[in-house]
Amino acid sequence: MRTAALGISLLLLLPTACSSDGDDDAQGVADDLAAGLTQKKLSDVAFTGADPTEEYAEVIGGLGDAPLEVKAAEPDLDGDTGSVALTWTWDVKGNEWSYRSTAALEKSGDDWQVAWDRAIVEPSLTDKEVLEVDTLLPSRGAILGPQEAPIVVERDVVKLGLDKSTLTKAEELASARAIAQVLDLDVKSFVARTKASGDKAFVEALVLRKSAAADLPPTYGEIKGAVAIGSQRPLAPTKEFAAPILGTVGEATAEAIEKSEGRLSAGDLTGLSGLQARYDEQLSGKAGVQIEAVAGKGSERELFTTKPVNGEPLVLTLDSGLQMRAEQVLAQTRPASAIVAIDPKNGDILAAASGPGSKGINTATFGQYAPGSTFKVVTALALLRAGLTPDTTVPCTSTLVVDGKTFKNYDDYPAGHIGDIPFREAFAQSCNTAFIAERDRLKKGDLAQAAAALGLGVDHDLGFPAYFGQVPDPTSETGKAADQIGQGTVLASPMAMATVAASVRAGRTVLPRLITGHKVTQIEPEVPLTAREADQLRELMRGVVTDGSGSFLAGLPGEVMAKTGTAEYGTGDPLPTHTWMIASTKDLALAVFVETGESGSATAGPLLTAFLQAR
């Protein structure tokens, strides 16, 4: 009896085991289908008919490279037929489109196969319909100044380029070459872009402000297929306005599209550099999409729509009037140059202009140069802390030899101020040898500590490229001597030196700010600036104007304080020199820099004067 019962049990179990194997096979085919749909390649999926990869590509081609994930549920089987539910999740320009569809399964012999149908891709699709997407563009966020004054807003432009819709292939290439030549573009690159674009595409060559388009060469209009299309782009008041900092907006590059993870596609406007690139997601907002089933022109059927979300503005501290004034002052300066203006009360950067000689480089906030004698403000603080006073007598000699290296004063140093003189006089006249002679008063780290108290040499992430400078410990006695006068291994940006002037004026360590919404935790200096130290530094800097190398500023209204600076660099005989000047008024701290010039007073000084006189 037990043997018979066991046999019956085995017979009962056998059909169940076969059914389980069939379920596993069907699940495997369903999973293969989901994987193939996700990867957009169906050659590894078992179908009842021919491989539908090409048809699938045609159906979804209108969605471009939008990321996709398809998941298969457990198949529902009934004998030799069945079905499987598929969950589709698309990321179309940052918009999630999710839905479910069903695929029919059929058993052929021992194997399960998928019966292809376009409705697998989207349940309402007919045999002739494909998916298309229209992008619903958001408005790009503006870049604003104080009191929401417009800086970068939509302004009229003219887009120049080639309209291929009426040209033959031979005409396209000839016109592309002609357009590139007339507009002074790289011919090879523009021809390549023309070849790669669609048969009826507009190939953008150049975008000009509307005012600049009036100067377009007449020969441009004679080129077959060359067009000029009125449009708008986010632009600053002028082409030069804080350009290295603000950056540009243009059509997304192939690299930007690849890095965007589906957020960008060909033809989209995006930030290409500067703040426009760093804050692109905030400024660009989120595009909406309208996905349609299309069988031909006029047959569009809406499947899914999301509204665009406009970009958020980026608010800066830049004062448009001061910024344009700084750029006008620098307009004729041929070497790299910069003017930075900071409000000493709160650290707001009101102007950060890099001159035309900077050739698009952000000299103003990210330049890295020896600050020369403007650094003597820092050295003076370190010496005051070491026991020196403004009235201490110091030796100002014509030259001073340190370990075989001869240091001297600048070429036109006034002979009447050579000798044993008060420290305030050495500061006002910028006597190099006096500062170097007092170097033994300072121990390791004293200069860096004083620099930090004035906002120099301590990095902070301000939300834009900002170089705070460096004051490393010297490795030799000559290095220590050079550091005393802002050469050696000491470096600073114009922004950093404007911060020094602002900190002296404010009587505390000032932290620059450009982006109002960017939160920064200030690193407090190890030894903060005291009220007495600030008073002494203000007295010394005022003496530069009343009795020293900055006396040309004496006629300006208000109590102007200043320090001139010159720093040798490079090679040659004589060596070329960076020229600097820092200054402050009650409501403004400034740094003026010219990469190559005669001296701080002769080169940077007139630029500083012109800026202050224009106020």
Side-chain angles (χ1 to χ4, degrees), residues 145-471:
Q147 288 78 53
E148 298 188 353
I151 294 178
V152 178
V153 293
E154 294 288 333
R155 302 180 194 271
D156 291 338
V157 298
V158 176
K159 298 196 297 183
L160 306 177
L162 180 66
D163 179 4
K164 296 175 62 175
S165 62
T166 61
L167 303 179
T168 65
K169 292 292 184 184
E171 289 172 334
E172 287 175 8
L173 299 183
S175 292
R177 293 188 189 95
I179 288 173
Q181 289 167 351
V182 169
L183 299 180
D184 196 24
L185 304 176
D186 182 87
V187 174
K188 185 177 180 180
S189 174
F190 187 63
V191 169
R193 286 200 290 121
T194 300
K195 288 180 179 179
S197 61
D199 291 340
K200 297 184 178 182
F202 165 70
V203 187
E204 185 178 289
L206 189 65
V207 179
L208 297 176
R209 291 172 183 264
K210 188 176 181 180
S211 57
D215 298 326
L216 199 62
T219 51
Y220 178 81
E222 299 169 2
I223 301 171
K224 194 170 184 179
V227 294
I229 303 171
S231 184
Q232 287 195 323
R233 285 281 173 90
L235 296 174
T238 66
K239 181 181 178 181
E240 299 78 17
F241 189 100
I245 294 174
L246 296 177
T248 59
V249 175
E251 290 194 5
T253 62
E255 182 182 4
I257 293 170
E258 184 178 351
K259 289 182 178 179
S260 73
E261 298 181 347
R263 187 175 67 88
L264 297 173
S265 57
D268 286 353
L269 288 182
T270 187
L272 300 177
S273 60
L275 297 180
Q276 291 284 9
R278 176 160 180 171
Y279 296 93
D280 186 59
E281 290 196 38
Q282 172 184 333
L283 291 165
S284 62
K286 184 178 179 181
V289 294
Q290 181 168 299
I291 299 172
E292 300 168 328
V294 180
K297 189 173 182 179
S299 67
E300 297 85 358
R301 180 167 56 84
E302 183 180 330
L303 299 176
F304 174 76
T305 301
T306 60
K307 293 182 179 180
V309 178
N310 291 334
E312 294 291 328
L314 184 68
V315 182
L316 309 182
T317 61
L318 286 182
D319 180 291
S320 292
L322 290 178
Q323 179 70 26
M324 287 193 283
R325 183 186 309 157
E327 286 164 354
Q328 289 165 0
V329 168
L330 295 175
Q332 303 304 315
T333 304
R334 297 183 66 181
S337 59
I339 294 177
V340 176
I342 293 177
D343 185 338
K345 296 186 294 297
N346 52 26
D348 285 355
I349 297 175
L350 304 178
S354 298
S358 296
K359 301 186 185 305
I361 300 299
N362 179 7
T363 304
T365 72
F366 205 63
Q368 301 177 25
Y369 302 95
S373 291
T374 57
F375 187 75
K376 287 174 182 170
V377 177
V378 172
T379 308
L381 175 58
L383 291 172
L384 291 171
R385 289 177 169 181
L388 211 68
T389 73
D391 295 316
T392 299
T393 299
V394 294
C396 179
T397 55
S398 297
T399 61
L400 182 64
V401 178
V402 178
D403 281 358
K405 179 176 175 60
T406 300
F407 291 88
K408 62 179 183 177
N409 296 313
Y410 55 91
D411 289 342
D412 56 348
Y413 184 86
H417 295 281
I418 292 291
D420 292 337
I421 59 176
F423 181 62
R424 68 173 71 251
E425 185 178 339
F427 186 93
Q429 300 299 331
S430 202
C431 178
N432 289 338
T433 56
F435 275 78
I436 294 171
E438 299 300 320
R439 68 189 182 281
D440 289 340
R441 290 178 180 266
L442 304 182
K443 61 183 184 298
K444 183 178 179 180
D446 283 353
L447 269 185
Q449 195 176 74
L454 297 175
L456 177 66
V458 181
D459 289 338
H460 293 77
D461 178 7
L462 301 184
F464 66 96
Y467 181 66
F468 281 85
Q470 65 171 33
V471 188

Side-chain angles (χ1 to χ4, degrees), residues 485-518:
I485 57 174
Q487 299 207 161
T489 54
V490 174
L491 295 175
S493 67
M495 180 203 73
M497 293 314 299
T499 301
V500 169
S503 296
V504 172
R505 174 65 73 164
R508 59 177 175 79
T509 308
V510 170
L511 181 66
R513 181 178 75 145
L514 177 67
I515 300 166
T516 60
H518 186 79

Side-chain angles (χ1 to χ4, degrees), residues 3 23 30 44 55 91 94 117 160 232 334 345 379 407 475:
T3 302
D23 289 354
D44 294 333
E55 183 179 353
D91 181 352
D117 188 287
L160 306 177
Q232 287 195 323
R334 297 183 66 181
K345 296 186 294 297
T379 308
F407 291 88
T475 57

